[in-house]
Amino acid sequence: MIVDARRLDDTVDVRGSIAIIGGGAAGITLALELAGHFKDVLVLESGAIDLEKETQDLYGGKLLGHYQPDLRTTRLRFLGGTTNHWAGQCPKLDPIDFERLPDRPYSGWPVRYATLAPFYERAYRYCEIEAPNLPDPDAVTSKLLEGSAFRLTEFPFSPPTRFGAHYRSQLSSSDRIKVYLNATVTDIITNDSKRAASSLDVRTLNGRRLTVTAAAYVLCCGGIENARILLNCTREFANGLGNQHDLVGRFFMDHLSTMAGIIVPQIEIYDLGALDQHTGARLDRGGLMNAAETVQQPGRRGCSLLLYLYPVHKLDDVFVQAQSPAYQAFNRLMQYAKRGSLAPAFREHGCTALEEPQAIARVLYDRLSTRFHPPPVKIIYVFMEGEQSPNPASRVTLCDEVDALGMRRAVLDWQIDPIDGSNLYQTAMELARSVGAAGLGRMFVNLERGEELSKVQTCWHHMGTTRMHDDPRRGVVDRHCAVHGLSNFYIAGSSVFPTCGRANPTLTIVALAIRLADHLKLTVKSS
Amino acid sequence: MKEWTRRSLVLGTAAIAAPVLALGIGKLWCQTNVAQRAQLRGLSSLMTIYPDGEVAAALGERYLRQAGLTALGAFERLQANERLRSAAETGCLIKTMLVAQQACRDDFRSGRFHCIDHWVLAQTELDVAALFTIA
């Protein structure tokens, strides 16, 4: 059932077995998993079915440190959360990402890859992915990988699943799940001993108030908002909930995106095969990443990276036109049409597409002709996404400015260790070396030693602010995602990642949510 | 008639010896240079990997400056590569090109490469570019 909290009475008491705060990838996955076990699962979503400006404005905050876009841009506050604009990349974390590396402070998870592996398999279903296989390396890929520090990895793609739109009918038809829209949690109340959460204060922008009571609570509001909500709970805890060791908000991580360079092929390449990011099947596409052995090399301080190779078959304006708003809007409409549904904001997208029909026609003609008579690849753009090392100085705090519900806004201070930039440079050079050694061509490296961070951009992957560690002095949540010191309060989402690897976070978020659901089924009694 | 003094004898000898010595050194230098140029002609087919000599010379200059090397050193390295030299001496452009490409691949495999103006290039091709600075 889906309820608009703005239409409830002025004050309402709501009870359930599990209260899930946030209706994004983690929250919806948890609700669907738990509905098989509990008959009264509550989901408290701050937004509505679609984007609304007033609600989105609750995300506003301040920025310090390395450049990040406005906090209202990178996240979406309505049902489905940020999956409403994700691209769908679903790689898994690598086993090495879970290890504690000796020359890399704060690295490693309290659980191993094997612990999460079965949940990854279950997570594929939620992201509409068939079990991916490692793509067979073709001749070009094999040449490139021979004797290089890279290896091919699984790189499955979700359609991408918009969790809100895709699971909305399941949520609304379920008599075991109750989704409250426009219901923003403004405070978390604990019991007398302060060892467990006892209720949630929930408010709407039109002044309704709800008190939500459950046996267990799960906070799933994203990498920045999870920390912000905990830090805002100062009624009973001066430093915020779960923040007895000043860890909430620290260790903010993002993936480091940069254009690594351009490969100019020396031989005629028509198809990059497993490496191709433009053509080929949407599923099971390959990416390149640093080999685990390279990750562990002393001096590199551990960094896994993902390389995207974009071949350009013609050095004309088609590549530019493919990036035009008209073609992008058209592409969006097509993505939904293929799934038999209308894209959200269909009219806006349609109008944008109609502004430049010639650009769309040109790109489509080029795609079609390239499919039948592929010209050789002229250049290959190389984009790179690297891992950020955990850094306690990179953090989310609060400023004095408050939002419409009286909650202090977030301040994001993104700090990147220069060694991470150095890792990007070394990897670009290693790729250039591999390209030359394979006789594929030469590479123009777009990075300069010591100046790499000036070209690093965000991937909009917010992680690490309520990190997982068995020791309460080193982490906010334990290995079961329970907040240290609270028996019934959990956190789901990328904020619990202690090390982020190079994998886009959504699949791991979903896998962790399923794992947490299994844990809650065993430990929480049905009300 | 004025008598020859020891001083005038020394000065006279020096006046004759200096140009002779300069001539000798000059001839020796010319001999080496001519020999180098002759050998350079042997490597000329290798230099065809660069269609534009001016661009190659500019690249070669930047390479030598950045790596702290000399054109003579580059020349000697190319000379020392038996396969490369004999391929170049045949004058067959295709053969020379193939051998040069293999030499570049070997360079990359062995870590002999430089990043010049953001381009990551093999030492062999950079050494060839360096030849244009003395050609």
Side-chain angles (χ1 to χ4, degrees):
Chain A
M1 184 193 301
I2 297 181
V3 179
D4 187 344
R6 290 179 296 196
R7 294 180 184 166
L8 297 174
D9 293 339
D10 286 349
T11 55
V12 177
D13 283 339
V14 176
R15 287 176 186 277
S17 294
I18 311 280
I20 298 165
I21 307 163
I28 289 175
T29 304
L30 263 167
L32 294 173
E33 284 284 321
L34 293 171
H37 189 81
F38 299 101
K39 63 179 191 303
D40 45 3
V41 178
L42 309 173
V43 179
L44 305 163
E45 166 55 46
S46 177
I49 291 291
D50 281 318
L51 187 70
E52 292 184 8
K53 190 179 175 301
E54 295 75 22
T55 320
Q56 187 67 14
D57 187 61
L58 297 173
Y59 267 153
K62 293 186 176 173
L63 298 163
L64 299 171
H66 203 82
Y67 173 75
Q68 283 268 348
D70 191 307
L71 295 177
R72 282 167 291 210
T73 307
T74 51
R75 308 174 287 167
L76 291 174
R77 204 173 177 114
F78 62 99
L79 191 65
T82 303
T83 65
N84 286 299
H85 70 188
W86 76 311
Q89 285 111 322
C90 277
K92 294 187 280 193
L93 284 171
D94 214 47
I96 190 76
D97 297 327
F98 292 81
E99 303 298 326
R100 174 163 173 69
L101 302 178
D103 54 352
R104 185 178 181 200
Y106 311 108
S107 64
W109 290 56
V111 294
R112 308 296 290 270
Y113 172 81
T115 310
L116 211 55
F119 300 101
Y120 273 131
E121 299 306 314
R122 286 165 64 185
Y124 284 138
R125 189 168 57 83
Y126 282 97
C127 299
E128 300 178 271
I129 297 167
E130 292 169 25
N133 298 312
L134 196 63
D136 288 331
D138 53 288
V140 172
T141 314
S142 301
K143 247 184 159 185
L144 186 60
L145 297 179
E146 192 184 309
S148 83
F150 300 100
R151 65 181 159 84
L152 207 55
T153 60
E154 286 174 2
F155 203 83
F157 269 68
S158 167
T161 305
R162 308 287 178 215
F163 275 64
H166 188 76
Y167 294 109
R168 186 175 155 192
S169 61
Q170 259 180 277
L171 295 171
S172 59
S173 63
S174 172
D175 57 356
R176 292 173 155 247
I177 302 171
K178 201 164 188 179
V179 180
Y180 288 88
L181 298 175
N182 301 299
T184 304
V185 172
T186 52
D187 206 357
I188 300 156
I189 317 299
T190 56
N191 63 6
D192 292 343
S193 66
K194 297 187 178 178
R195 305 286 294 173
S198 58
S199 66
L200 305 173
D201 275 355
V202 180
R203 294 177 61 186
T204 69
L205 282 170
N206 67 343
R208 305 288 188 272
R209 283 175 177 267
L210 286 78
T211 302
V212 176
T213 312
Y217 304 83
V218 189
L219 181 61
C220 330
C221 294
I224 295 172
E225 211 63 8
N226 280 351
R228 180 187 169 218
I229 290 172
L230 293 180
L231 291 171
N232 260 292
C233 294
T234 51
R235 190 155 60 172
E236 296 170 296
F237 302 89
N239 296 328
L241 192 67
N243 197 26
Q244 55 272 36
H245 297 290
D246 189 25
L247 288 170
V248 173
R250 288 193 184 272
F251 296 98
F252 172 84
M253 296 178 286
D254 197 337
H255 287 125
L256 312 176
S257 170
T258 189
M259 191 218 177
I262 297 169
I263 296 171
V264 181
Q266 182 177 328
I267 59 170
E268 288 203 331
I269 300 172
Y270 290 90
D271 184 2
L272 281 180
L275 303 176
D276 199 331
Q277 292 287 320
H278 269 326
T279 59
R282 280 284 286 177
L283 299 181
D284 298 349
R285 294 199 291 185
L288 277 172
M289 67 171 290
N290 273 17
E293 309 84 70
T294 315
V295 173
Q296 284 176 313
Q297 266 180 19
R300 296 205 55 175
R301 224 175 84 182
C303 178
S304 58
L305 293 122
L306 177 69
L307 296 166
Y308 295 94
L309 306 180
Y310 289 93
V312 179
H313 291 271
K314 288 180 186 170
L315 282 177
D316 56 16
D317 59 348
V318 172
F319 184 76
V320 177
Q321 287 180 352
Q323 316 303 318
S324 70
Y327 184 76
Q328 292 293 327
F330 171 77
N331 202 28
R332 185 107 191 93
L333 294 175
M334 286 299 106
Q335 279 176 3
Y336 274 88
K338 280 180 200 164
R339 288 153 49 200
S341 61
L342 280 182
F346 179 84
R347 212 174 62 179
E348 286 80 355
H349 280 103
C351 290
T352 310
L354 286 174
E355 277 173 16
E356 280 185 277
Q358 71 280 13
I360 298 168
R362 185 75 202 280
V363 177
L364 289 180
Y365 171 74
D366 184 70
R367 294 272 153 88
L368 203 64
S369 61
T370 300
R371 181 166 294 184
F372 291 109
H373 300 289
V377 173
K378 293 287 184 195
I379 55 171
I380 303 165
Y381 284 95
V382 182
F383 293 90
M384 196 155 61
E385 282 181 17
E387 173 180 10
Q388 181 181 356
S389 307
N391 178 2
S394 180
R395 64 187 300 197
V396 173
T397 53
L398 301 178
C399 62
D400 291 334
E401 189 187 327
V402 294
D403 66 16
L405 294 171
M407 292 180 77
R408 290 169 68 191
R409 292 191 184 274
V411 179
L412 174 57
D413 185 3
W414 187 25
Q415 297 293 335
I416 312 170
D417 191 324
I419 196 84
D420 293 331
S422 169
N423 280 332
L424 294 174
Y425 178 79
Q426 285 181 52
T427 304
M429 289 298 284
E430 172 57 21
L431 181 66
R433 190 197 70 78
S434 303
V435 166
L440 294 177
R442 297 290 179 270
M443 183 167 154
F444 176 91
V445 173
N446 190 40
L447 302 170
E448 265 179 87
R449 193 191 287 274
E451 300 290 327
E452 303 92 345
L453 293 185
S454 65
K455 291 184 178 170
V456 162
Q457 295 180 340
T458 165
C459 287
W460 300 13
H461 299 161
H462 306 144
M463 301 167 282
T465 53
T466 61
R467 66 198 324 256
M468 185 192 286
H469 202 287
D470 283 336
D471 184 347
R473 288 165 303 179
R474 295 183 180 187
V476 177
V477 299
D478 67 14
R479 62 176 58 210
H480 299 296
C481 299
V483 173
H484 283 295
L486 292 173
S487 61
N488 66 344
F489 198 87
Y490 299 82
I491 297 179
S494 53
S495 65
V496 305
F497 294 6
T499 308
C500 65
R502 59 85 203 168
N504 305 60
T506 304
L507 188 75
T508 305
I509 290 171
V510 174
L512 278 172
I514 298 169
R515 179 171 171 267
L516 174 57
D518 283 4
H519 177 73
L520 293 173
K521 287 175 198 170
L522 292 173
T523 55
V524 177
K525 285 183 181 172
S526 192
S527 63
Chain B
M1 195 177 153
K2 197 176 177 183
E3 284 187 2
W4 286 96
T5 62
R6 187 183 297 169
R7 190 178 171 198
S8 59
L9 272 173
V10 169
L11 283 173
T13 310
I16 296 166
V20 171
L21 200 65
L23 190 68
I25 292 170
K27 282 207 164 196
L28 199 65
W29 181 85
C30 284
Q31 265 186 353
T32 317
N33 198 38
V34 167
Q36 258 192 27
R37 280 173 180 275
Q39 285 173 320
L40 206 56
R41 278 197 292 276
L43 292 175
S44 62
S45 60
L46 190 57
M47 293 164 78
T48 57
I49 65 171
Y50 291 102
D52 188 330
E54 277 184 33
V55 172
L59 173 66
E61 265 181 31
R62 279 196 296 273
Y63 158 59
L64 294 176
R65 195 170 55 241
Q66 186 177 311
L69 301 171
T70 62
L72 187 61
F75 173 72
E76 284 170 354
R77 266 193 301 279
L78 293 170
Q79 277 286 320
N81 187 328
E82 186 63 35
R83 287 191 65 206
L84 199 58
R85 197 185 62 211
S86 45
E89 280 170 2
T90 63
C92 172
L93 295 182
I94 294 174
K95 187 177 179 183
T96 308
M97 203 71 86
L98 289 173
V99 173
Q101 283 178 359
Q102 183 58 49
C104 290
R105 284 200 288 273
D106 292 343
D107 283 345
F108 280 115
R109 285 196 194 104
S110 310
R112 294 187 299 268
F113 58 90
H114 298 267
C115 187
I116 311 292
D117 284 349
H118 295 266
W119 285 100
V120 180
L121 301 167
Q123 190 170 56
T124 298
E125 60 199 351
L126 287 168
D127 281 344
V128 175
L131 294 184
F132 284 87
T133 64
I134 54 169

